[in-house]
Amino acid sequence: MKAKKTVYYLSAKKCADEIIKKVGKDIMMGIPLALGKPNQLVNELYRRAKNDPGIRLKIMTAISLEKPTSTNELERRIIGPLVERIFGDFPDFEYLTDLRNKTLPPNFELIEFFNKSGSFLNNSHVQQNYMSTNYTHAPRDIFNLGLNVSGQLLAKKTINGRTMYSMSCNPDTPIEVGHEMREQKRNGIKNFIVGQVNTNLPFMHGDAVVPAENFDAIIDNPDYNFKLFSPPKTAVLTDDYMIGVHTSSLIKDGGTIQIGIGSLGDAIAASLQMRQDHNDVYNQVIDGFKIRENFGDVISQVGETDSFKEGLYGSSEMFVDGFMNLYKSGIIKRKVYDDASLQQLINDKKIQEDITPRTLTTLLENRVIDGNISEENFNFLQKFGIFKENLSYQENTIVNGRRSFSTDLSDEKNLENIISNCLGSKLKNGVIMHGSFFIGPQSFYDDLNNMSDDDRKLFNMTSVQYVNQLYRGEKLKTLQRKKARYINAGMFVNILGAVTSDGLEDGNVVSGVGGQYNFVSMAHALDDARGIMMIKSTRRKNGKVSSNIMYSYGHTTIPRHLRDIVVTEYGIADLRSKRDCDVIASLLNVTDSRFQEELLFKAKKSKKIRRNYEIPERFRNNYPEELEKRIAPFKEKGFFNPFPFGTDLTGEEIVLIGSLRTFKDNLACKKISLSKLAKTIIGVPAETKPYLERMQLDNPASLKEKMLQKVVVYSLLTGGRL
């Protein structure tokens, strides 16, 4: 059967018409996680379902992005200008609006395998339709649900005179999904693959690049080039930084790293930058917090505190802006190559990036190439830059312009001629990172767009099947991922090492498993890898502080038999190969001291630790105020900035958000009442006026606005941020 040509559309409406014509009114649509969704097309199909009860529309995805919304007047005043400035013309998903308002039509279902963290805890539709699965299993699961439409955002670029498309931010599942859908089509199964161009999207190279023929339709309309969603940065606080510093000491030069988004990811990246650019200060921090004294054994076995020479390779499902900053700092720079034999020689330091005569003879000695160069050998040598680009292979002869050379390397004179005339200068087609999806601040997208093609090619965007597991190419992946440190965040850890990251014990889903289990299990499968779980020792709700290290918890994401390393702001607990009693002791050492004795009592009562065990004295001062005291001198010198990689917020907004959050906590735990506040605040101090102007409360026109002004003034004066 002759393949049909790709159809191009200016209109999402016309494309929707074609989808319904081709697959019918029972539509199961798969769209990528987070950024890569074709918003206008999704909205058009959703409208069709709302207006036509005969259409049954299901959407399977993860993390449906939405602009921040307000729940009260103060939030509206601070969020409104932010949304307009940061998110611009990003089109809201209409199904999310109806989901929030509980007005979804009965013929629509949203199925997500990863929810926007904590956003839908009380939403019955989301909770009931959540699908718990590993990221790597999402393609399988979506086909089991009856996938017949796939849609995603694309970048485009002319390469060698041909228009090519990049799956850019989300080749994660679409690579596998597209391959299977095209196979289904060849077997007579009706389906539809559509891409929507957005020229704001960086054109990423590697496995993300595909021809137009991979799609049944491409929507390409300049009016659809909406601003890319950029989640605002959250402040990196002291507990984040201390987790970042401890974690950074566990990473070896020449190794592999995976990190995620958010304040903890930023804390790790900033700590690694400090280790690289200010190594003397970094080691002062290590010693000032007694990290080497308390956890020197695990640091010497697992990590280092010196600056980076060989650098790191990134292998992470999520390509976050932290990686970009590590690249700029010269930390992410270790190149890997997609050939196991070559990678082995590089790992063994028998071959360097600079090509010399020894490069060719080493390949020959290790039987990577034959003594008589075959066409396959020639293509290998040219692909990786060992041979020059302008050479050609013709009937056992290497041709260089008007000169030609025999492929027989056993002839010493011929070998000398090949070395003199055919060798390149540096290895080619190495990459410093494999990633599967990205999202970040606008500055991150700008960095990617402003890069040269050669620099952007260093970041290979590929499928989650490649990044998140060892199957399908285990030998090469193992060689590339040497000394891997897979770093993820959890909510709770029980005293025996089981981690909870995705949901609550009543079954409500906070986020999802995503790729966390993939990376944890891979850390155990690779001989020199380690899995690191970052967990803040405490949480605060309604003014009450609770421990995130618990004796037990009724939901588990990572089972105790896959325990490895847990890092809190108070230190490092190495749990691998430990008896239960030793696991308990290690976790007690990094628990907030307000909760240590209670946990120890429960462990003794359950006979899981000896009755006369005592927590060592040096771990009994785990208090937040102690961390603040020790970090203060470094903050005074300009280190540990709350926004190490910048922020879209203004100075006034940073102060307002922090102050109002503290006020909200105090109000929840009844440390202040609105009636008392009204009597307490009289007048407007001069230092609060810029903040009141930002909130449009400098000239209140009603009793309500006067009360809101008092709230803001009180928050500023008592929040400790002015």
Side-chain angles (χ1 to χ4, degrees):
M1 181 185 296
K2 188 177 180 181
K4 293 184 178 179
K5 290 185 178 180
T6 304
V7 180
Y8 294 86
Y9 291 96
L10 283 171
S11 165
K13 289 183 178 181
K14 290 187 177 181
C15 187
D17 289 338
E18 187 68 12
I19 289 171
I20 295 170
K21 178 181 176 182
K22 288 291 173 63
V23 304
K25 290 189 172 185
D26 196 350
I27 301 170
M28 173 62 201
M29 185 180 194
I31 51 178
L33 175 152
L35 188 62
K37 297 177 176 61
N39 295 38
Q40 284 92 345
L41 177 62
V42 171
N43 282 340
E44 181 59 34
L45 286 170
Y46 178 68
R47 285 185 215 115
R48 301 293 179 96
K50 285 184 71 172
N51 295 327
D52 183 353
I55 292 176
R56 293 179 65 241
L57 175 62
K58 294 181 181 178
I59 289 178
M60 183 173 175
T61 185
I63 312 182
S64 294
L65 298 170
E66 58 183 337
K67 292 179 282 195
T69 55
S70 55
T71 59
N72 58 55
E73 180 63 16
L74 279 177
E75 286 184 359
R76 184 192 68 77
R77 287 171 181 264
I78 198 163
I79 288 175
L82 274 174
V83 168
E84 186 175 340
R85 187 174 76 240
I86 296 174
F87 299 98
D89 61 351
F90 177 83
D92 290 313
F93 289 106
E94 294 175 19
Y95 67 78
L96 280 183
T97 302
D98 289 349
L99 181 65
R100 294 288 188 191
N101 295 331
K102 299 182 180 179
T103 57
L104 287 175
N107 57 331
F108 173 81
E109 293 178 16
L110 173 66
I111 304 166
E112 292 197 314
F113 68 88
F114 201 103
N115 297 336
K116 183 183 173 186
S117 186
S119 293
F120 295 103
L121 278 171
N122 298 312
N123 190 292
S124 58
H125 184 96
V126 172
Q127 293 298 325
Q128 292 168 21
N129 287 281
Y130 168 76
M131 175 184 283
S132 185
T133 191
N134 286 330
Y135 201 176
T136 49
H137 295 155
R140 174 203 68 190
D141 294 334
I142 195 171
F143 279 110
N144 287 342
L145 288 170
L147 175 73
N148 58 11
V149 177
S150 173
Q152 75 173 109
L153 219 55
L154 298 173
K156 73 173 181 178
K157 185 180 181 68
T158 301
I159 300 176
N160 297 326
R162 184 184 182 190
T163 300
M164 299 295 288
Y165 294 87
S166 171
M167 291 181 274
S168 185
C169 57
N170 281 93
D172 46 357
T173 54
I175 287 180
E176 304 291 332
V177 167
H179 174 80
E180 181 61 26
M181 289 183 77
R182 290 188 293 276
E183 186 64 29
Q184 285 184 349
K185 201 183 298 289
R186 283 189 284 270
N187 292 326
I189 298 174
K190 293 181 180 179
N191 61 43
F192 201 86
I193 308 172
V194 59
Q196 179 178 312
V197 173
N198 187 325
T199 56
N200 293 317
L201 199 62
F203 190 96
M204 303 304 294
H205 293 271
D207 299 327
V209 179
V210 292
E213 292 76 26
N214 278 27
F215 303 91
D216 295 298
I218 292 175
I219 302 170
D220 192 350
N221 185 336
D223 291 341
Y224 291 176
N225 293 331
F226 56 83
K227 187 174 183 179
L228 300 180
F229 191 97
S230 54
K233 285 280 190 182
T234 52
V236 183
L237 305 178
T238 296
D239 53 358
D240 300 306
Y241 266 123
M242 293 321 304
I243 290 174
V245 169
H246 282 96
T247 301
S248 69
S249 71
L250 301 175
I251 298 167
K252 279 188 177 291
D253 189 21
T256 304
I257 188 173
Q258 174 244 339
I259 56 176
I261 198 169
S263 60
L264 286 173
D266 285 349
I268 294 168
S271 296
L272 288 170
Q273 279 190 330
M274 177 187 279
R275 177 175 155 183
Q276 178 76 348
D277 299 334
H278 304 280
N279 192 254
D280 55 339
V281 178
Y282 176 81
N283 277 283
Q284 289 172 24
V285 173
I286 293 291
D287 293 332
F289 282 86
K290 300 183 179 180
I291 295 173
R292 206 186 319 270
E293 177 183 333
N294 292 332
F295 309 104
D297 289 347
V298 64
I299 291 172
S300 63
Q301 293 170 15
V302 176
E304 298 167 350
T305 63
D306 294 331
S307 56
F308 295 91
K309 295 178 181 177
E310 187 178 348
L312 301 175
Y313 153 66
S315 181
S316 180
E317 63 182 8
M318 191 172 190
F319 176 17
V320 293
D321 66 311
F323 280 107
M324 180 62 69
N325 287 289
L326 293 177
Y327 166 65
K328 291 178 180 178
S329 295
I331 297 171
I332 296 290
K333 66 178 181 179
R334 181 173 75 84
K335 292 180 180 177
V336 301
Y337 299 83
D338 67 351
D339 182 271
S341 298
L342 177 61
Q343 190 65 53
Q344 181 69 72
L345 293 172
I346 291 170
N347 287 6
D348 294 341
K349 301 192 184 304
K350 292 181 179 179
I351 284 181
Q352 309 293 328
E353 187 175 0
D354 291 330
I355 295 168
T356 67
R358 185 62 187 153
T359 304
L360 189 63
T361 56
T362 298
L363 292 170
L364 185 62
E365 290 166 2
N366 287 273
R367 300 183 179 180
V368 178
I369 59 173
D370 302 321
N372 196 332
I373 297 174
S374 65
E375 187 171 5
E376 182 182 357
N377 292 159
F378 177 84
N379 291 337
F380 162 84
L381 293 167
Q382 204 165 47
K383 173 182 178 180
F384 293 109
I386 300 160
F387 273 2
K388 295 175 181 177
E389 285 185 2
N390 61 346
L391 306 179
S392 61
Y393 185 93
Q394 299 175 11
E395 297 181 2
N396 298 319
T397 302
I398 299 170
V399 179
N400 183 359
R402 295 182 178 180
R403 301 188 64 183
S404 62
F405 309 95
S406 166
T407 56
D408 184 5
L409 298 183
S410 64
D411 183 324
E412 290 188 12
K413 184 65 176 175
N414 185 59
L415 176 61
E416 288 178 8
N417 283 331
I418 287 176
I419 287 172
S420 299
N421 294 278
C422 300
L423 291 187
S425 58
K426 286 184 179 293
L427 291 178
K428 287 177 17 180
N429 291 320
V431 300
I432 59 174
M433 180 172 183
H434 282 95
S436 292
F437 78 96
F438 66 69
I439 188 170
Q442 191 61 49
S443 59
F444 175 51
Y445 306 141
D446 291 342
D447 283 339
L448 289 172
N449 276 316
N450 293 333
M451 275 183 168
S452 68
D453 264 353
D454 286 343
D455 286 342
R456 216 179 300 123
K457 285 176 182 177
L458 294 171
F459 301 88
N460 186 336
M461 296 301 293
T462 186
S463 77
V464 74
Q465 303 290 343
Y466 188 89
V467 174
N468 286 36
Q469 61 186 16
L470 293 176
Y471 319 123
R472 306 175 191 176
E474 183 174 347
K475 183 178 180 181
L476 175 61
K477 293 178 184 180
T478 299
L479 289 167
Q480 290 176 337
R481 299 169 192 182
K482 64 175 184 172
K483 296 182 281 190
R485 300 294 178 262
Y486 296 124
I487 307 165
N488 289 275
M491 297 187 300
F492 317 127
V493 59
N494 76 22
I495 203 68
L496 296 175
V499 174
T500 301
S501 304
D502 65 317
L504 305 178
E505 58 186 351
D506 64 1
N508 271 269
V509 179
V510 175
S511 54
V513 178
Q516 186 171 113
Y517 184 91
N518 294 140
F519 286 105
V520 169
S521 58
M522 191 158 45
H524 286 275
L526 292 166
D527 289 340
D528 56 358
R530 298 302 298 266
I532 301 167
M533 295 300 306
M534 306 177 294
I535 296 176
K536 294 187 179 186
S537 68
T538 62
R539 65 191 183 281
R540 178 186 290 271
K541 184 176 181 181
N542 296 331
K544 181 183 178 182
V545 178
S546 303
S547 178
N548 288 332
I549 301 176
M550 306 178 181
Y551 189 77
S552 62
Y553 192 72
H555 175 72
T556 295
T557 312
I558 305 300
R560 61 189 280 203
H561 67 272
L562 290 179
R563 65 193 183 279
D564 202 336
I565 294 174
V566 170
V567 175
T568 76
E569 64 267 37
Y570 297 115
I572 304 163
D574 185 1
L575 310 181
R576 185 184 280 194
S577 306
K578 296 281 182 69
R579 303 172 300 171
D580 279 357
C581 61
D582 297 322
V583 169
I584 293 170
S586 295
L587 285 169
L588 286 172
N589 290 345
V590 299
T591 298
D592 188 290
S593 291
R594 290 170 286 184
F595 305 98
Q596 287 173 325
E597 287 300 328
E598 179 185 356
L599 287 169
L600 179 58
F601 173 79
K602 289 181 178 179
K604 288 179 177 180
K605 186 177 180 181
S606 299
K607 299 180 175 58
K608 295 300 294 183
I609 200 166
R610 67 180 190 273
R611 293 184 64 85
N612 65 346
Y613 179 77
E614 296 293 337
I615 299 168
E617 188 61 34
R618 68 181 189 274
F619 298 115
R620 287 178 170 273
N621 199 23
N622 292 349
Y623 296 105
E625 53 268 27
E626 181 65 21
L627 296 181
E628 295 293 352
K629 183 177 75 174
R630 292 185 181 183
I631 205 171
F634 298 101
K635 286 186 175 182
E636 289 173 2
K637 294 177 182 177
F639 296 99
F640 300 115
N641 187 302
F643 294 97
F645 305 124
T647 175
D648 291 320
L649 303 178
T650 65
E652 286 84 4
E653 288 165 348
I654 292 170
V655 171
L656 281 164
I657 290 170
S659 299
L660 290 170
R661 185 178 293 126
T662 300
F663 173 80
K664 188 176 180 180
D665 289 343
N666 289 336
L667 196 65
C669 61
K670 299 180 180 178
K671 290 185 178 180
I672 183 66
S673 68
L674 292 177
S675 58
K676 182 179 178 182
L677 181 149
K679 297 175 183 177
T680 303
I681 300 299
I682 300 172
V684 177
E687 63 267 30
T688 66
K689 287 184 178 180
Y691 306 95
L692 293 171
E693 289 174 1
R694 167 59 180 80
M695 297 291 284
Q696 295 183 327
L697 290 171
D698 48 323
N699 293 303
S702 66
L703 286 174
K704 181 181 179 180
E705 287 192 349
K706 288 178 181 178
M707 189 62 202
L708 291 175
Q709 185 191 69
K710 288 179 181 290
V711 169
V712 173
V713 170
Y714 178 86
S715 301
L716 291 168
L717 295 178
T718 60
R721 290 176 173 84
L722 283 184

